[in-house]
């Protein structure tokens, strides 16, 4: 999955060029996201896959007990793009995607429990034992 982004980096460096390691890391992460979600492993898709995954994780803050509706909407849209490709890849089956390989191995496709579209609160947090003695 990392062959393309690393081949681009190798070629650039071998030619005496420079490389932005943050961009390379994002490209590698995008390639991995494409492989996991069943998106075609095309270099032009790596940045969008990374951006969608980042949109979801950007919405989550450990100090927040709820999310503003705007953040929920944007995160759901981005997650929808990623999960749609995973569902399609699972339905197609085959050995060329992770979801397809899961289907071939007999792994059932599970649907997440339905949540209210208006709910922006996270699931209840588990309590942690106090470290104070």
């Amino acid at each position: 999955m990392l062959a393309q982004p690393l081949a681009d980096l190798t070629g650039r460096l071998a030619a005496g060029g420079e490389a932005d390691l943050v961009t390379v890391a994002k490209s590698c992460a995008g390639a991995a996201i494409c492989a996991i979600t069943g998106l075609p492993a095309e270099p032009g898709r790596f940045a969008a896959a990374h951006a969608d995954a980042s949109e979801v994780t950007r919405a989550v803050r450990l100090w927040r007990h709820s999310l503003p509706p705007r953040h929920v909407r944007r995160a759901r849209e981005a997650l929808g793009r990623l999960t749609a490709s995973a569902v399609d890849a699972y339905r197609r089956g085959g050995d060329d995607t992770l979801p397809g390989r899961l289907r071939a191995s007999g792994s059932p496709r599970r649907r997440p429990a339905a949540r209210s579209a208006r709910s922006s609160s996270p699931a209840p947090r588990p309590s942690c034992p106090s470290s104070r003695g």
Side-chain angles (χ1 to χ4, degrees), residues 82-102:
L82 295 172
T83 57
S85 64
V87 169
D88 289 343
Y90 183 87
R91 287 181 181 152
R92 282 192 316 272
D95 290 339
D96 59 329
T97 66
L98 178 61
R101 288 191 297 274
L102 287 172

Side-chain angles (χ1 to χ4, degrees), residues 5-121:
L6 296 179
D8 292 346
L9 173 65
T10 301
R12 205 170 319 122
L13 293 176
E18 295 181 357
D20 178 355
L21 292 181
V22 171
T23 301
V24 172
K26 287 180 180 180
S27 183
C28 289
I33 292 163
C34 286
I36 291 168
T37 62
L39 285 167
E42 301 166 353
R45 293 182 184 257
F46 297 164
H50 180 268
D52 281 343
S54 293
E55 185 66 40
V56 173
T57 59
R58 187 179 305 120
V60 178
R61 298 286 182 255
L62 295 177
W63 48 267
R64 248 189 220 152
H65 297 281
S66 64
L67 296 173
R70 176 176 56 102
H71 290 181
V72 172
R73 186 185 74 253
R74 287 178 27 196
R76 283 187 177 163
E77 289 169 359
L79 189 59
R81 287 188 292 272
L82 295 172
T83 57
S85 64
V87 169
D88 289 343
Y90 183 87
R91 287 181 181 152
R92 282 192 316 272
D95 290 339
D96 59 329
T97 66
L98 178 61
R101 288 191 297 274
L102 287 172
R103 179 178 178 171
S105 73
S107 178
R109 179 177 162 249
R110 294 192 179 108
R111 298 192 91 130
R115 288 189 57 181
S116 168
R118 295 184 308 172
S119 174
S120 62
S121 298

